[in-house]
Amino acid sequence: MRRNTTQRTAIEQVFSQHERPLGVDEVLTYGRKLVESLNQATVYRNLKILIDDGWLKRIFHPSLGALYERTGKGHHHHFYCHECHRVFEIPGCALREDEAAPDGFVVEDHEIFLFGVCPSCAG
Amino acid sequence: MRRNTTQRTAIEQVFSQHERPLGVDEVLTYGRKLVESLNQATVYRNLKILIDDGWLKRIFHPSLGALYERTGKGHHHHFYCHECHRVFEIPGCALREDEAAPDGFVVEDHEIFLFGVCPSCAG
DNA sequence: GAGGAAATGAAAATTGTTGGCAAAAGTAAA
DNA sequence: TTTACTTTTGCCAACAATTTTCATTTCCTC
Ligand SMILES: [Zn+2]
Ligand SMILES: [Zn+2]
Ligand SMILES: [Zn+2]
Ligand SMILES: [Zn+2]
């Protein structure tokens, strides 16, 4: 049976405190402010657990690699600014899902990554 | 100044011969049929060069990791069937690009991964 | 051809992630 | 509570993927 641990609680708090996709290193850094002894392997183990639980979701960024974000925040997508290298969450969806794939394909989910320049970098 | 090498030419040929996203290991395997001595580091180096040149594009597969595919094949996206674990190229685009991000964001490119069941698995 | 810069191959070094194990901590029954 | 049991942790070794180092080879220009 699954036990509650201060480590996993801390990791959950990290995601609650930062409302954006986080990398493993960020989870570790922020998590250590809550539980000083927090270990990297523990972070990996718990990220996996939280994904299995459906509490987290893993997304892939073309250059940043794996990022983790909370589920249940409503359908949204991501924008990567190649100037400041930040990932933004973009609410809503501009995909015409019914036209997304040819007949016969059953589309159950989709992931969209936008690339460009964010408002503050665009000046 | 950039020089033409038999190795890079071989790598380009590999992509021309296989019209689908390829992993590093596949590029190495197929490439060695053209240049026996082809080295893994050379593959990595040239994949990077070809991406910088805009000749290749890197995409991330949720479980296979990084894949490389030719650019200039027309705008398209990818579909991952969670039954047979195959990646399909989906021609065309169903994204309303003008509505994809809030005002201020300059969208220059986007990547879409569809998930679901392919026609042959859907029966 | 000769000279010089760039690219390659081989291996070491990094980086990212997972696995083993003894010790620590959570849970439930006594 | 305390005890007994099991999960989870921290540390570290083991992997895997990718990058770097460096001596040697190859390409290109003269
Ligand atoms: Zn920016
Ligand atoms: Zn959407
Ligand atoms: Zn299928
Ligand atoms: Zn598109």
Side-chain angles (χ1 to χ4, degrees), chain B residues 3-4 6 40-41 44-45 48:
Chain B
R3 296 174 179 174
N4 293 323
T6 54
Q40 207 171 25
Y44 276 106
R45 279 189 284 240
K48 189 176 294 178

Side-chain angles (χ1 to χ4, degrees), chain A residues 81 83-84 86 88 118 120-121:
Chain A
C81 175
E83 288 291 330
C84 62
R86 282 184 293 177
F88 296 81
C118 77
S120 55
C121 290

Side-chain angles (χ1 to χ4, degrees), chain B residues 18-99:
Chain B
H18 302 83
E19 290 289 313
R20 64 184 179 84
L22 299 173
V24 172
D25 53 327
E26 292 177 302
V27 176
L28 184 62
T29 302
Y30 296 134
R32 280 185 169 158
K33 293 180 180 173
L34 301 172
V35 177
E36 213 176 330
S37 67
L38 186 61
N39 188 278
Q40 207 171 25
T42 301
V43 171
Y44 276 106
R45 279 189 284 240
N46 279 295
L47 289 177
K48 189 176 294 178
I49 286 173
L50 291 170
I51 287 174
D52 287 346
D53 290 354
W55 200 87
L56 279 184
K57 185 177 177 182
R58 184 168 67 162
I59 61 175
F60 273 97
H61 183 283
S63 54
L64 299 179
L67 298 177
Y68 301 79
E69 70 174 4
R70 276 238 47 191
T71 54
K73 293 169 61 179
H75 189 73
H76 67 275
H77 297 298
H78 299 97
F79 183 100
Y80 177 66
C81 174
H82 64 239
E83 289 290 330
C84 62
H85 306 288
R86 283 185 290 177
V87 176
F88 297 81
E89 293 192 355
I90 304 294
C93 182
L95 183 70
R96 294 186 294 268
E97 204 166 12
D98 53 318
E99 302 172 26

Side-chain angles (χ1 to χ4, degrees), chain A residues 74-123:
Chain A
H75 188 73
H76 67 275
H77 297 299
H78 301 97
F79 183 99
Y80 176 66
C81 175
H82 64 237
E83 288 291 330
C84 62
H85 307 289
R86 282 184 293 177
V87 175
F88 296 81
E89 294 193 353
I90 304 295
C93 181
L95 183 71
R96 295 186 293 267
E97 203 165 12
D98 52 321
E99 301 172 28
D103 287 347
F105 286 91
V106 181
V107 178
E108 298 175 344
D109 196 9
H110 64 262
E111 207 171 275
I112 300 179
F113 235 113
L114 304 168
F115 303 90
V117 186
C118 77
S120 55
C121 290

